């Protein structure tokens, strides 16, 4: 995964070391030697991630971080504080400034590449969501998704901790409980069931758990549908680099070394919460985009595109199983006069109310669509003509018997509809033929005086 990395350090030798390691992993690298230059590079959109030294003359790294996070144009850029300072107060100050992660000098190559790759994926998600705001058909909805995901990332998380060392997990719980709720599992055989049933936001796993293969447990978490997307952070000890690398290959999201620094663990949990929140928002956005592509925006029913594609599937299934299938086409009578007399807003009110009445008078297995303009279609699987006629007549009476409310409840107008029905016959028939017969029946109903149900001739 490639990304543009900005290294901010006033010592050229430090920049060269980090640059060489990042270039070897095919990242693009630029550098700045002071805070103002770093702010300018970020504002111009030249980088995806910032590796930010703390100790710099003039404007230190904490101030640069605060300014970047306070600026709406740059607050989404992940920031890694790179520092020789390893005191808890320094890390806490970085967290308060808005840092997403920490690296302590001398920087481990594994830690550097792991952190950068993790944050590069997070940046990719945020960029995708921001792009949808700029180009999406419903930018307001996507903006709300981003805002909701950011709020979700900052809320109290439910964390599952897998650790059988009492002195270890008690210290970890004390640290995490400052901001989150924590469930502890000490028996490895119970851990998978707890993880699958608990609905936790983050799972923290100690590699040192006894009588169990912690990496196999992580692999099982990734294979279960309920925990496939749940962030996993593993706790490692010294001389466990091989197992750590194996864990990252299995899909572990992040790691922390013992002895565990509470503030660092909180920072890593926060980063994983943000990443999960953005992933969920992106998935919701994609689902919303798909729904918009097949849904009529005014009535909430499926649109003509969905009808054309889905009817073919339903017809093929009915034909193969020798089951009945009936298509109903209906058209609001004299709809143009509604628009001409009361205005297009009244026409929209009638269409929306008509769609609601359709929903109330059909089964959940039936497919209702806005076919075009004031014309609607209903596909009724496993329904012969006799039953379909009962449904059509019930709908016709429902429309004709109850006036439609328009103009915010100030007026009521009478509305009627004409309906045409066509069922599969003995002959093999395609979608076009079935719909054409229903449309012909609808035309006959309108020609014969409207406000009636007409049955198509057999194929």
């Amino acid at each position: 995964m490639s990304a543009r990395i900005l290294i901010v350090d006033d010592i050229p030798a430090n920049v060269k070391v980090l640059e060489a390691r990042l270039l070897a992993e095919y990242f693009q690298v630029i550098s700045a030697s002071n805070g103002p230059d770093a702010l300018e590079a970020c504002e111009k959109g030249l980088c995806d991630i910032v590796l930010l030294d703390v100790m710099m003359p003039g404007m230190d790294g904490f101030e640069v971080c605060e300014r970047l996070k306070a600026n709406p144009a740059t607050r989404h850029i992940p920031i890694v504080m790179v520092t020789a300072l390893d005191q808890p107060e320094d890390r806490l100050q970085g967290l308060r400034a808005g840092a997403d992660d920490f690296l302590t000098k001398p920087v481990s190559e594994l830690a550097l590449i792991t952190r950068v790759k993790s944050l590069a994926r997070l940046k990719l998600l945020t960029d995708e969501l921001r792009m949808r705001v700029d180009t999406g058909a419903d930018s307001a909805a996507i903006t709300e998704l981003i805002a909701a995901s950011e709020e979700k990332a900052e809320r109290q998380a439910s964390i599952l901790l897998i650790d059988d060392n009492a002195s270890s997990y008690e210290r970890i719980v004390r640290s995490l409980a400052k901001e989150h709720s924590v469930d502890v599992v000490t028996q490895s055989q119970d851990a998978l069931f707890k993880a699958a049933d608990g609905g936790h936001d983050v799972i923290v796993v100690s590699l040192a758990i006894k009588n169990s293969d912690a990496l196999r447990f992580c692999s099982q978490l990734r294979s279960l549908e309920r925990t496939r997307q749940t962030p996993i952070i593993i706790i490692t000890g010294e001389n466990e680099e091989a197992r750590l690398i194996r864990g990252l290959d299995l899909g572990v999201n992040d790691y922390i070394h013992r002895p565990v620094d509470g503030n660092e663990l909180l920072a890593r949990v926060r980063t994983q919460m943000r990443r999960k929140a953005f992933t969920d928002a992106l998935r919701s956005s994609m689902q919303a985009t798909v729904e918009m592509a097949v849904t009529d925006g005014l009535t909430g029913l499926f649109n003509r595109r969905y009808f054309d594609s889905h009817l073919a599937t339903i017809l093929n299934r009915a034909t193969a199983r020798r089951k009945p299938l009936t298509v109903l086409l209906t058209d609001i009578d004299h709809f143009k006069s509604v628009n001409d007399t009361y205005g297009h807003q009244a026409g929209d009110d009638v269409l929306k109310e008509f769609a609601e009445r359709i929903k109330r008078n059909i089964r959940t297995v039936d497919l209702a669509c806005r076919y075009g303009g004031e014309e609607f279609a209903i596909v009724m699987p496993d329904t012969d003509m006799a039953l379909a006629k009962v449904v059509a007549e019930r709908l016709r009476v429902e429309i004709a018997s109850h006036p439609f409310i328009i103009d915010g409840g100030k007026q009521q107008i009478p509305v009627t509809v004409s309906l045409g029905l066509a069922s599969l016959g003995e002959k093999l028939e395609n979608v076009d033929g079935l719909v054409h017969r229903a449309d012909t029946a609808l035309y006959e109903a309108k020609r014969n005086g409207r406000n009636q149900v007409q049955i198509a001739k057999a194929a």
Side-chain angles (χ1 to χ4, degrees):
M1 174 181 295
S2 181
R4 298 166 298 173
I5 314 299
L6 170 62
I7 302 174
V8 186
D9 199 314
D10 61 319
I11 301 176
N14 292 341
V15 174
K16 290 294 184 183
V17 170
L18 293 175
E19 183 180 42
R21 293 175 176 177
L22 292 168
L23 289 174
E25 296 292 329
Y26 302 100
F27 290 104
Q28 301 175 43
V29 180
I30 60 174
S31 63
S33 59
N34 56 68
D37 288 348
L39 293 174
E40 182 180 359
C42 292
E43 289 173 356
K44 291 181 177 179
L46 300 179
C47 63
D48 297 308
I49 298 171
V50 179
L51 299 183
L52 180 60
D53 185 39
V54 171
M55 304 301 293
M56 294 187 296
M59 186 186 301
D60 65 19
F62 295 128
E63 184 178 352
V64 174
C65 186
E66 288 174 349
R67 292 196 181 190
L68 288 174
K69 292 302 182 181
N71 185 346
T74 58
R75 67 189 302 265
H76 62 285
I77 301 175
I79 299 174
V80 181
M81 306 292 284
V82 183
T83 175
L85 304 175
D86 58 0
Q87 295 302 310
E89 308 83 58
D90 300 317
R91 293 181 180 273
L92 187 57
Q93 185 176 354
L95 283 175
R96 289 171 176 165
D100 298 274
D101 214 327
F102 297 91
L103 289 173
T104 303
K105 297 177 181 177
V107 177
S108 157
E109 184 169 351
L110 177 62
L112 173 66
I113 301 305
T114 301
R115 304 310 186 210
V116 169
K117 286 184 176 180
S118 176
L119 291 174
R121 295 187 185 98
L122 175 60
K123 180 60 164 51
L124 186 66
L125 294 172
T126 59
D127 284 348
E128 177 68 18
L129 284 170
R130 286 162 59 84
M131 182 184 70
R132 288 174 182 271
V133 171
D134 295 333
T135 63
D138 192 353
S139 61
I142 306 303
T143 302
E144 290 177 5
L145 276 174
I146 293 178
S149 65
E150 290 178 341
E151 181 179 346
K152 181 180 179 181
E154 296 301 323
R155 69 174 171 80
Q156 183 186 63
S158 172
I159 299 175
L160 178 63
L161 173 61
I162 316 298
D163 193 345
D164 59 359
N165 185 318
S167 62
S168 169
Y169 68 68
E170 286 172 359
R171 288 196 306 271
I172 294 172
V173 168
R174 281 196 298 270
S175 298
L176 291 175
K178 297 174 184 177
E179 298 182 9
H180 309 292
S181 63
V182 186
D183 291 329
V184 179
V185 175
T186 60
Q187 300 296 323
S188 57
Q189 60 267 30
D190 300 331
L192 193 62
F193 297 102
K194 184 71 173 178
D197 295 336
H200 297 89
D201 297 302
V202 179
I203 299 175
V204 181
V205 182
S206 170
L207 288 187
I209 192 167
K210 299 175 183 177
N211 303 318
S212 178
D213 186 344
L215 291 183
R216 183 174 298 279
F217 171 68
C218 292
S219 175
Q220 291 171 327
L221 289 176
R222 283 290 170 259
S223 67
L224 292 175
E225 184 66 30
R226 292 283 300 276
T227 57
R228 185 167 297 161
Q229 304 298 331
T230 305
I232 302 173
I233 301 173
I234 55 177
I235 302 172
T236 70
E238 294 183 1
N239 304 318
E240 286 192 301
E241 185 170 302
R243 295 188 73 202
L244 170 58
I245 294 173
R246 181 60 176 157
L248 294 171
D249 289 340
L250 290 171
V252 168
N253 300 85
D254 202 354
Y255 68 93
I256 187 169
H257 285 298
R258 297 184 189 276
V260 174
D261 181 290
N263 288 326
E264 180 182 356
L265 181 56
L266 284 171
R268 305 216 176 285
V269 167
R270 186 177 297 111
T271 297
Q272 295 306 321
M273 284 287 290
R274 287 181 61 207
R275 180 176 172 183
K276 185 176 187 300
F278 283 125
T279 301
D280 292 344
L282 182 58
R283 191 177 295 112
S284 297
S285 166
M286 294 177 67
Q287 180 63 32
T289 300
V290 171
E291 289 178 357
M292 284 188 291
V294 299
T295 305
D296 175 58
L298 179 65
T299 64
L301 299 179
F302 289 112
N303 59 20
R304 174 72 177 272
R305 178 188 303 173
Y306 187 86
F307 173 85
D308 289 340
S309 62
H310 204 63
L311 177 57
T313 302
I314 298 174
L315 187 148
N316 291 337
R317 185 183 299 125
T319 302
R321 297 176 180 177
R322 298 183 179 277
K323 295 289 186 179
L325 172 67
T326 303
V327 171
L328 180 156
L329 291 184
T330 178
D331 190 282
I332 299 175
D333 297 331
H334 303 297
F335 183 73
K336 184 177 183 300
S337 66
V338 175
N339 285 328
D340 293 343
T341 305
Y342 302 100
H344 288 281
Q345 180 58 53
D348 288 347
D349 290 343
V350 169
L351 291 171
K352 288 188 285 188
E353 175 59 23
F354 183 48
E356 288 300 318
R357 296 191 190 187
I358 287 177
K359 293 176 188 177
R360 292 197 297 266
N361 283 275
I362 63 175
R363 305 166 301 178
T364 56
V365 296
D366 297 331
L367 171 65
C369 305
R370 186 180 179 189
Y371 197 65
E374 67 271 23
E375 192 171 1
F376 293 77
I378 302 171
V379 181
M380 294 177 277
D382 298 330
T383 305
D384 58 21
M385 182 58 74
L387 179 57
K389 185 177 180 181
V390 172
V391 173
E393 185 62 25
R394 183 176 65 214
L395 179 60
R396 185 196 67 78
V397 172
E398 165 70 18
I399 301 302
S401 301
H402 302 92
F404 280 56
I405 308 299
I406 62 171
D407 195 19
K410 297 177 182 179
Q411 298 188 71
Q412 297 182 358
I413 59 174
V415 174
T416 63
V417 293
S418 301
L419 306 98
L421 290 169
S423 290
L424 281 178
E426 294 296 327
K427 297 181 180 179
L428 290 178
E429 191 171 17
N430 58 24
V431 168
D432 291 340
L434 183 62
V435 173
H436 176 72
R437 289 196 296 115
D439 191 52
T440 300
L442 172 60
Y443 177 76
E444 288 293 322
K446 297 181 79 69
R447 189 175 66 176
N448 292 337
R450 295 182 169 83
N451 190 23
Q452 61 181 270
V453 178
Q454 187 70 35
I455 297 175
K457 296 178 180 179

